[in-house]
Amino acid sequence: MIRALKNRVRVGAALIALAGLVSSGVPAQAADAPGVTKDTITLGMTSAQSGAASPGYNKVGPAMKAYFDYINEKGGVYGRKIVLKLEDDKYVPTNAVNKVNKLILRDKVFALVGNLGTATHTAALKKTPIIKNGVPDLFVNTGYSGFANPKKYPTTFMYLPSYIMEAKVMAKYIKDKFPSKKVGILYQDDDFGKDGLAGFKAAGLTFVAGGTQKYASLSQATVGLTTQMTALKTSGAEVIIIFGVTSATAVALRTAAALGYGTTWGPQFIMGSVGADPTTLLTLAGATTAEARAATLRSLTGALSLSFLPAASDTEDEYVKKFIEINTAYNKGVAWDNNVLVGMNQAMLVVQALRAAGQNPTRASLVAALKSKGGTFASAGYSKLDSANNVGYTGYWVGNYNSTGAIAPVDGGKPVVYTTDSSTANGDVATSTFVRPAMPADGVPTNS
């Protein structure tokens, strides 16, 4: 009888506690909504805020936070303020595992947003409870096609178009514009670079003998890329693809200048989107010497790159214009560039996903909302966001750099966007007919 009485007391206490949750406005389904209170939604992010790979990418998280601060001043998401916990993993997989475990198990974030890096996030997915706990893993900052696998990674959604997509678009452009040229490539020797190689192979692009060069992730910071760039010069490659992170691209361009680029050597450089932010490239070079900056700018001038967003220098673009305003007011002291644009745009997508998840969101409702409605979200992207299949954007435009380092569409006018998929069975690429939604009034999404 005593035991039964104690049980009744415990049940009564639980009912009182539940009633308190309901009356206070906290979601009754709080078991599936850690990180959500009546006043806040707490999100987590890991990124390279320091270390060899951090230049440029370390601006993305603070830019997201700045946009969230802006939204918070406008009332937040259904009255809740967004809190972003940003952890520095230095682009090291073991660090990423530790930081993601901290965010999920100790900080109890509602969702992860914008985690950076292929190798780092692969490790996190394998060795943290992202999948087990059903943690929404939104807008991962990598184009590794392996993450777009709803069966294996049911809560993970990409942000970038896949590297396979990018390589296929790049290959088509090279075959159309430089049909008789010898092609070489410098790529990062991990899943990032190998994903790109798979795309080039699918598109039927072949490389000149001796023109396939690689570097180990982070090695560019210590041993440089003289061996690889010298081999590319010796191979006779007339078009050289640089498929690496920004710090590697900077070293490659600086090395090319030292090897006579612009005087005795003049290949056409084409750079992958993740390693081609001109502000970061020139800042890295300028940190060495003024001569190095000038040499890098010479190598950059006339180079080509791909993008799925408008050029950060296109101040007539309505998204760029508004994001610059927000950056100036809420991210003070941080120079505007493509990385800041990426962070602001991601944050706008996150806000729309949270709104779509409902006034009492759960992790399950957030994932379901993104899959069903993500393709309708307003964003700066020039192609469709294929969140129904856990994919990011699906297209790129091609631009070249002028003598100041600004990028613009190769043929002038508006960007021509090419779209494809992540299949390695074919290299099909088509011109996109996607019409980008208008920027929400005052930069505040309403999902209407």
Side-chain angles (χ1 to χ4, degrees):
M1 180 176 292
I2 292 175
R3 181 179 298 173
L5 180 59
K6 287 182 178 179
N7 287 340
R8 284 197 295 273
V9 169
R10 281 195 291 266
V11 171
L15 290 172
I16 292 170
L18 180 59
L21 287 174
V22 173
S23 64
S24 68
V26 176
Q29 59 273 55
D32 189 29
V36 177
T37 71
K38 65 183 180 65
D39 298 315
T40 60
I41 299 175
T42 302
L43 308 174
M45 177 182 182
T46 63
S47 182
Q49 296 305 115
S50 64
S54 65
Y57 307 132
N58 57 7
K59 290 185 174 183
V60 177
M64 291 181 72
K65 183 181 183 302
Y67 181 82
F68 291 148
D69 289 345
Y70 174 72
I71 291 297
N72 289 343
E73 279 206 1
K74 299 290 184 178
V77 176
Y78 297 123
R80 294 185 178 94
K81 302 295 179 66
I82 300 173
V83 178
L84 178 64
K85 291 185 175 291
L86 176 59
E87 294 286 343
D88 180 12
D89 62 24
K90 303 181 187 298
Y91 202 64
V92 175
T94 52
N95 289 346
V97 170
N98 293 335
K99 298 298 186 180
V100 171
N101 272 325
K102 174 183 178 295
L103 288 169
I104 295 174
L105 300 175
R106 188 190 307 174
D107 297 332
K108 299 189 184 303
V109 299
F110 180 53
L112 299 170
V113 294
N115 283 14
L116 176 91
T118 301
T120 47
H121 206 56
T122 297
L125 283 164
K126 288 180 179 178
K127 298 181 179 180
T128 73
I130 293 175
I131 300 172
K132 178 183 176 182
N133 290 8
V135 180
D137 183 22
L138 310 188
F139 309 122
V140 179
N141 264 314
T142 166
Y144 175 52
S145 62
F147 292 147
N149 186 338
K151 290 185 178 179
K152 188 174 183 180
Y153 306 122
T155 65
T156 297
F157 296 82
M158 293 173 64
Y159 176 66
L160 279 63
S162 77
Y163 298 131
I164 290 177
M165 291 181 188
E166 181 170 17
K168 287 161 70 170
V169 171
M170 195 180 289
K172 175 176 172 53
Y173 187 85
I174 291 170
K175 290 163 76 174
D176 287 348
K177 303 296 183 179
F178 309 106
S180 60
K181 301 291 186 180
K182 297 176 182 177
V183 182
I185 185 171
L186 172 70
Y187 70 95
Q188 185 162 298
D189 189 22
D190 58 11
D191 285 338
F192 162 27
K194 291 172 184 176
D195 218 32
L197 289 181
F200 290 122
K201 182 178 180 180
L205 187 69
T206 57
F207 301 111
V208 66
T212 302
Q213 297 294 317
K214 60 188 178 181
Y215 71 92
S217 177
L218 303 181
S219 67
Q220 73 276 7
T222 54
V223 301
L225 297 171
T226 300
T227 299
Q228 294 90 331
M229 296 306 291
T230 300
L232 285 165
K233 181 179 181 181
T234 302
S235 75
E238 300 161 283
V239 176
I240 295 178
I241 300 165
I242 303 177
F243 214 80
V245 297
T246 312
S247 54
T249 302
V251 173
L253 293 179
R254 193 161 65 244
T255 304
L259 293 173
Y261 181 86
T263 55
T264 60
W265 185 35
Q268 173 67 63
F269 287 117
I270 302 182
M271 302 176 294
S273 61
V274 301
D277 176 66
T279 302
T280 307
L281 291 172
L282 294 173
T283 299
L284 285 168
T288 308
T289 63
E291 290 78 11
R293 187 184 190 281
T296 299
L297 184 57
R298 287 196 302 272
S299 298
L300 185 62
T301 302
L304 301 172
S305 186
L306 276 62
S307 181
F308 56 92
L309 296 174
S313 57
D314 183 5
T315 55
E316 296 302 310
D317 182 272
E318 60 178 340
Y319 283 89
V320 171
K321 186 180 299 184
K322 188 62 187 180
F323 288 150
I324 287 176
E325 289 179 16
I326 296 171
N327 186 64
T328 301
Y330 292 84
N331 202 18
K332 295 179 181 179
V334 177
W336 171 259
D337 64 12
N338 185 65
N339 295 292
V340 178
L341 171 59
V342 165
M344 293 271 177
N345 190 57
Q346 278 185 310
M348 176 179 278
L349 289 170
V350 170
V351 168
Q352 291 172 91
L354 292 172
R355 289 185 60 84
Q359 295 195 35
N360 289 316
T362 65
R363 284 173 167 172
S365 74
L366 178 57
V367 170
L370 186 54
K371 288 186 75 70
S372 64
K373 300 176 182 178
T376 67
F377 292 168
S379 83
Y382 279 129
S383 62
K384 181 178 174 60
L385 186 72
D386 186 14
S387 55
N389 295 302
N390 294 41
V391 180
Y393 291 105
T394 52
Y396 283 98
W397 59 276
V398 182
N400 59 4
Y401 296 91
N402 64 22
S403 59
T404 68
I407 190 171
V410 288
D411 299 319
K414 294 184 177 181
V416 176
V417 180
Y418 301 95
T419 187
T420 185
D421 58 26
S422 296
S423 170
T424 56
N426 63 70
D428 293 347
V429 175
T431 303
S432 174
T433 59
F434 176 77
V435 178
R436 186 178 70 168
M439 164 65 95
D442 205 22
V444 181
T446 62
N447 292 44
S448 60

